[in-house]
Amino acid sequence: MYFLSFVWHKTLLALAPPSRPPPSTPVLTTCAHFNPATGPLTPLGDWCSTPSEEEEEDDDRSYLKHLFAMEASNTLDGGYLERQAPGAGLGPCSSPMASRERASVVDWMTEAAGVVGLPSDVLFLGVALLDRFLAARVAAAAEAAACGAKPAAPERPLQLVAAVALWVATKYEHGYGASVEVFRRDLLCGMYSRRDLLDTEAELLRAVDYRLSSIVTPHAFLTRAFRGLPAREAARAARAPAAAAAADALFYLTSYLSEAALLEYSMLPFAPSAVAASALALAHLLLGLPVTSEELRARSGYGWEDITLPFAWLRQVHVEVCRAGANRTPYAAWTKFLTAETRWAAAVPPLLSFADPRLPEVTAGRAAAPAGAAGAPPLQRRPSLKRQRAGATAAAAKGAAAGRRQEEDGGAAAGALGACALFCPTP
């Protein structure tokens, strides 16, 4: 048997055609668009060439226009809490839900994101999903009340909905996410079953009509604004540590302000792009960095005259969050950005009036420096971590005390709108 197989193998080898030497010319010569003398029509180096400044500016403008179009295509009902029907509210036992309760849920989401290790884009999308879910429930309850029927959807605890919103945002933003058991065990302490989380996920996706791709958050606009930050890139290229540190401080302070804005229900009527522009503008003022209206418009799409109202609300939110931290009842965003990795962004004192010493520098810088020529001042040497923490607490306490004295004297800060709805819920 083995002998017959050996003979058959030798026979096949004998009948096979002889091997040919490799061709001397490349196979690509058969292509009509290839000339062996000159090479391909498009050099390979041009395919990976660095785009010019004009091309980068065109791409940046096109991307910003795309973000604005997506923002306009999927808006949020910013006043859904005022539209709660009697006996069909979002609170426990169908009671009306106040803005203070929403702020508590968002604060828990910020803390939960830190426990699981979720990035900021997941937190922003999770809060946006939560607001859209609550707005859809209010609309469904109002429609059912008008028809004299009960809502078809069962009541979902806010903590369960918030955890599922973070889970869905994680899977969408990064294509993968932690196991459902991690959210059920670590965030919800095993109070709900796996089926409860899956049913809530299905209801959440139906509430947003499965349109997660068109939900734009302030994080998207801030990512675009800091991606081409001229001062940061120039500082790193020139190896200037002080200017690079100032740019990092601006980035973390803007991120801190935008996450603090998530707590305030009264910020929902404003577009995410306006919230991002207000955070960027307020961060410049808090750090004493000059920025003109043209520079602000180039980075965010808004000028100073376009963000008067959201800027005033965000400034007051910053005051209240710093005051809560000084009173030893801090919010998760304040604790998150009170670290050395975030350049102690939460330790920056708020603006209380036009008498703040940081404002004249900005005004003088605007008048003296031409557009696009504003540079970041060098930062002083930082003290030890222990002194930084002590100084942060003292600065926050000083700001809170100044704010209380200002209220007692009857003088409100210029541009302030009074207490936030976060602490004084709108009836």
Side-chain angles (χ1 to χ4, degrees):
M1 186 68 181
Y2 294 104
F3 176 75
L4 294 177
S5 301
F6 176 77
V7 172
W8 177 251
H9 179 68
K10 289 295 186 180
T11 304
L12 292 179
L13 291 179
L15 296 177
S19 59
R20 298 177 180 178
S24 57
T25 57
V27 180
L28 290 178
T29 54
T30 58
C31 179
H33 301 284
F34 182 82
N35 187 355
T38 59
L41 295 180
T42 303
L44 295 178
D46 295 345
W47 295 351
C48 304
S49 60
T50 304
S52 61
E53 295 183 1
E54 292 78 8
E55 294 176 347
E56 290 183 351
E57 292 179 359
D58 292 341
D59 294 342
D60 186 68
R61 284 192 295 266
S62 300
Y63 179 59
L64 182 60
K65 185 178 180 180
H66 173 68
L67 288 179
F68 280 125
M70 293 179 60
E71 180 185 55
S73 66
N74 193 342
T75 58
L76 170 66
D77 180 11
Y80 63 87
L81 291 184
E82 287 77 11
R83 297 178 178 84
Q84 299 178 84
L90 299 172
C93 301
S94 300
S95 60
M97 176 183 176
S99 58
R100 188 187 300 269
E101 300 176 19
R102 178 196 170 275
S104 300
V105 175
V106 174
D107 182 62
W108 178 85
M109 293 177 69
T110 306
E111 184 179 1
V115 171
V116 185
L118 304 179
S120 297
D121 56 349
V122 174
L123 176 62
F124 277 92
L125 182 57
V127 175
L129 291 175
L130 174 67
D131 286 321
R132 281 164 171 78
F133 176 83
L134 297 179
R137 283 191 56 183
V138 169
E143 183 179 356
C147 299
K150 294 183 179 180
E155 294 185 2
R156 302 287 183 183
L158 289 178
Q159 189 178 16
L160 174 61
V161 177
V164 171
L166 290 177
W167 184 41
V168 173
T170 304
K171 294 190 293 183
Y172 176 78
E173 290 289 354
H174 300 281
Y176 65 92
S179 172
V180 64
E181 293 297 327
V182 175
F183 284 82
R184 191 182 72 85
R185 182 184 65 251
D186 297 344
L187 298 185
L188 300 175
C189 302
M191 295 186 298
Y192 305 98
S193 63
R194 177 187 178 93
R195 175 51 55 187
D196 292 335
L197 269 71
L198 296 178
D199 292 343
T200 306
E201 179 189 16
E203 186 178 350
L204 175 64
L205 293 176
R206 286 193 300 268
V208 300
D209 197 18
Y210 300 92
R211 298 177 58 193
L212 276 73
S213 60
S214 60
I215 298 178
V216 183
T217 64
H219 184 270
F221 290 94
L222 292 179
T223 302
R224 175 258 169 193
F226 282 99
R227 182 179 57 183
L229 188 62
R232 191 175 189 178
E233 297 299 331
R236 295 192 185 282
R239 296 182 180 180
D248 289 340
L250 178 64
F251 169 76
Y252 286 112
L253 183 56
T254 306
S255 303
Y256 164 60
L257 294 174
S258 59
E259 290 195 16
L262 296 176
L263 296 166
E264 179 54 51
Y265 168 73
S266 298
M267 297 290 294
L268 293 182
F270 303 114
S273 56
V275 176
S278 302
L280 183 62
L282 182 57
H284 277 86
L285 292 184
L286 292 173
L287 295 177
L289 301 177
V291 57
T292 62
S293 185
E294 291 76 11
E295 293 174 343
L296 186 62
R297 189 180 301 278
R299 296 182 186 177
S300 63
Y302 289 84
W304 280 104
E305 65 279 1
D306 303 326
I307 56 172
T308 303
L309 195 57
F311 178 85
W313 272 109
L314 184 59
R315 189 204 64 81
Q316 187 65 24
V317 168
H318 185 219
V319 172
E320 299 295 345
V321 171
C322 290
R323 183 176 302 170
N327 294 334
R328 298 184 179 181
T329 57
Y331 287 89
W334 188 83
T335 307
K336 175 183 177 180
F337 286 89
L338 197 64
T339 60
E341 291 77 13
T342 58
R343 301 296 188 270
W344 306 98
V348 179
L351 295 174
L352 298 176
S353 66
F354 278 130
D356 194 286
R358 290 168 289 184
L359 294 181
E361 297 178 5
V362 176
T363 306
R366 272 198 231 162
L379 298 182
Q380 299 178 356
R381 178 177 297 179
R382 295 185 179 273
S384 62
L385 297 181
K386 184 176 181 180
R387 290 185 178 181
Q388 287 182 6
R389 292 191 182 96
T393 306
K398 183 178 179 181
R404 286 193 295 269
R405 288 196 304 269
Q406 194 176 37
E407 292 177 357
E408 293 174 359
D409 297 340
L417 298 179
C420 295
L422 173 65
F423 299 89
C424 297
T426 304

